[in-house]
């Protein structure tokens, strides 16, 4: 079976970092289910801006082995479209979350998050975890 590729949210990476037993993390559960993961450049930004000095080595090592999708023109267009729809519904979300969701949509990838409350508002975003 070919690997299924998913975009994972920052919350999934934080879950991995915080688990004493990494085998109990959502990310490793997804990998065991046959998923290959990637992240948005915005997630990389969120990780490093939230990391304490003693955590940077962990993230450097982890992210060195992780595919990071850029915030490019197609992602920007998807973000504009999503934002327009959320504004119309009066259900706006944080800009970083908007950009991360747009990355999934622009790259036709399903999405894994622990923050379904915000991401459920977005049409055409396939949330798998």
């Amino acid at each position: 079976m070919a690997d299924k590729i998913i975009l994972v949210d920052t919350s999934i990476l934080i879950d991995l970092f915080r688990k004493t037993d990494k085998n109990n993390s959502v990310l490793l559960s997804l990998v065991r289910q046959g998923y290959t993961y990637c992240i948005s450049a915005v997630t990389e930004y969120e990780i490093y801006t939230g990391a304490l000095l003693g955590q940077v080595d962990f993230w450097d090592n982890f992210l060195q082995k992780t595919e990071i999708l850029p915030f490019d023109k197609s992602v920007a267009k998807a973000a504009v479209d999503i934002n327009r729809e959320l504004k119309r519904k009066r259900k706006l979300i944080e800009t970083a979350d908007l950009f991360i969701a747009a990355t999934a949509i622009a790259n036709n990838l399903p999405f894994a998050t622990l923050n379904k409350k915000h991401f459920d508002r977005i049409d055409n975003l396939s949330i798998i975890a």
Side-chain angles (χ1 to χ4, degrees):
M1 166 173 78
D3 282 342
K4 303 167 278 186
I5 301 172
I6 57 170
L7 185 81
V8 297
D9 182 33
T10 311
S11 62
I12 300 289
L13 299 186
I14 299 296
D15 173 69
L16 173 74
F17 177 78
R18 289 184 177 163
K19 295 281 188 200
T20 303
D21 182 357
K22 305 297 186 206
N23 286 314
N24 291 330
S25 70
V26 173
L27 183 62
L28 289 185
S29 173
L30 291 166
V31 169
R32 284 191 295 272
Q33 293 172 52
Y35 289 101
T36 298
Y37 64 89
C38 56
I39 65 169
S40 164
V42 177
T43 292
E44 180 181 33
Y45 164 80
E46 286 186 319
I47 288 296
Y48 280 120
T49 58
L52 300 175
L53 188 58
Q55 300 168 346
V56 171
D57 284 344
F58 173 88
W59 290 117
D60 284 345
N61 291 328
F62 181 84
L63 294 174
Q64 188 173 43
K65 302 172 223 155
T66 302
E67 181 179 2
I68 301 170
L69 301 179
F71 186 91
D72 60 15
K73 187 173 187 152
S74 66
V75 174
K77 181 184 180 332
V80 167
D81 294 343
I82 294 166
N83 192 59
R84 184 177 296 126
E85 183 62 20
L86 293 176
K87 192 180 284 188
R88 186 187 66 73
K89 294 180 192 176
R90 294 188 175 151
K91 293 188 174 193
L92 292 172
I93 61 174
E94 292 181 22
T95 302
D97 289 346
L98 175 72
F99 289 169
I100 292 167
T103 303
I105 290 172
N107 289 280
N108 297 309
L109 294 173
F111 185 63
T113 185
L114 298 177
N115 183 10
K116 292 181 184 167
K117 180 181 175 186
H118 286 159
F119 291 103
D120 276 343
R121 302 175 188 181
I122 301 171
D123 296 335
N124 303 320
L125 181 63
S126 174
I127 300 174
I128 60 163

